[in-house]
Amino acid sequence: MRATIVIGINYTYNESDFKDSYVIGVDKGAKFCLDNSIPMDITIGDFDSVDNKVYEKITQTTKTIKLNPIKDETDTKEALEYAKNYDEILILGAIGGKRIEHLFSNIIELVKSDKKIYLKDDNSLIYIENKKSIFKGDYKFVSIFSLDNNTSITLKNMKYPLNNYNLKILDPLCISNEAIGVGEMIVHNGRVIVILSKDDAK
């Protein structure tokens, strides 16, 4: 099983994201789950973004961890602690919104973690890879950024292929690539951040 953490920004319900998952509703993500009849195993947050009526309904239907709004960690960081026993964690709605600093904080959690964590909203999917990825066309653009100066990658069946390329930190070469049919990335050494994005013209 995996853990699915719902934040609820720029995300539309997709049943497959919740199949066989331990579901954690975070703050207004819990409201999203209520509105879409998604059963939650636990909810967590300071709930400063939902009104009292919604909060009461949340507490009546699901075990709730109420956090102090004055705290050192984000609600998402706290939720990750409750998902630490799962090897794969999907965080929904963790990319868009007006508070871009939360996206940056979530990416930091990806980099720090030894687990497979995915950030997903309606337009993008972000994750860390150190082995291999297949790109099947669900997203138009494939962007890859290195986390290590000794990173070496190969890209096959891509608009801009590479063979054992040394992708260093801050090298923007691999932004906005595209798969041709089924694309493939092999990470020979190091780690990369993969950002998949849908066509922004649609």
Side-chain angles (χ1 to χ4, degrees):
M1 287 181 66
R2 70 181 174 195
T4 297
I5 298 174
V6 187
I7 298 175
I9 299 173
N10 297 337
Y11 172 76
T12 303
Y13 174 66
N14 185 329
E15 183 180 0
S16 65
D17 290 330
F18 298 89
K19 186 177 181 180
D20 298 325
S21 287
Y22 180 82
V23 178
I24 304 173
V26 178
D27 210 278
K28 58 187 168 186
K31 180 181 184 300
F32 174 89
C33 290
L34 284 178
D35 292 343
N36 289 275
S37 301
I38 302 168
M40 293 174 283
D41 293 281
I42 193 171
T43 66
I44 187 168
D46 53 29
F47 296 97
D48 59 354
S49 60
V50 300
D51 59 36
N52 290 335
K53 185 176 181 180
V54 170
Y55 177 68
E56 289 179 7
K57 188 173 182 180
I58 290 170
T59 59
Q60 289 169 2
T61 57
T62 311
K63 178 183 177 181
T64 301
I65 308 296
K66 179 72 179 292
L67 302 175
N68 189 325
I70 302 174
K71 57 187 182 301
D72 294 330
E73 306 288 0
T74 65
D75 290 351
T76 304
K77 169 67 173 175
E78 295 286 352
L80 283 168
E81 286 297 311
Y82 286 86
K84 64 184 180 182
N85 292 328
Y86 295 85
D87 293 328
E88 181 178 312
I89 301 170
L90 176 63
I91 305 179
L92 301 175
I95 299 173
K98 297 178 180 179
R99 299 287 302 279
I100 194 170
E101 66 271 28
H102 285 289
L103 168 59
F104 190 75
S105 176
N106 291 333
I107 290 175
I108 289 173
E109 293 304 324
L110 262 69
V111 174
K112 289 166 51 180
S113 179
D114 59 354
K115 299 179 183 298
K116 199 72 172 181
I117 302 178
Y118 298 87
L119 305 181
K120 180 182 179 182
D121 70 0
D122 284 340
N123 298 308
S124 302
L125 180 70
I126 304 174
Y127 61 95
I128 305 294
E129 186 58 77
N130 64 354
K131 294 180 181 177
K132 179 178 178 179
S133 284
I134 298 295
F135 311 119
K136 297 182 179 180
D138 297 331
Y139 296 87
K140 180 176 176 61
F141 300 109
V142 179
S143 297
I144 302 163
F145 302 93
S146 179
L147 293 171
D148 306 286
N149 278 323
N150 63 344
T151 295
S152 176
I153 65 170
T154 291
L155 299 177
K156 299 179 180 179
N157 299 324
M158 303 291 289
K159 186 174 182 179
Y160 307 105
L162 292 171
N163 184 31
N164 284 297
Y165 179 75
N166 178 205
L167 184 66
K168 296 183 178 181
I169 294 174
L170 304 182
D171 184 346
L173 177 71
C174 294
I175 192 171
S176 299
N177 207 334
E178 299 178 40
I180 300 174
V182 179
E184 180 181 0
M185 175 187 69
I186 301 170
V187 182
H188 305 286
N189 193 61
R191 296 190 305 161
V192 297
I193 296 178
V194 178
I195 302 177
L196 307 181
S197 299
K198 294 182 179 178
D199 191 348
D200 54 2
K202 294 182 180 180

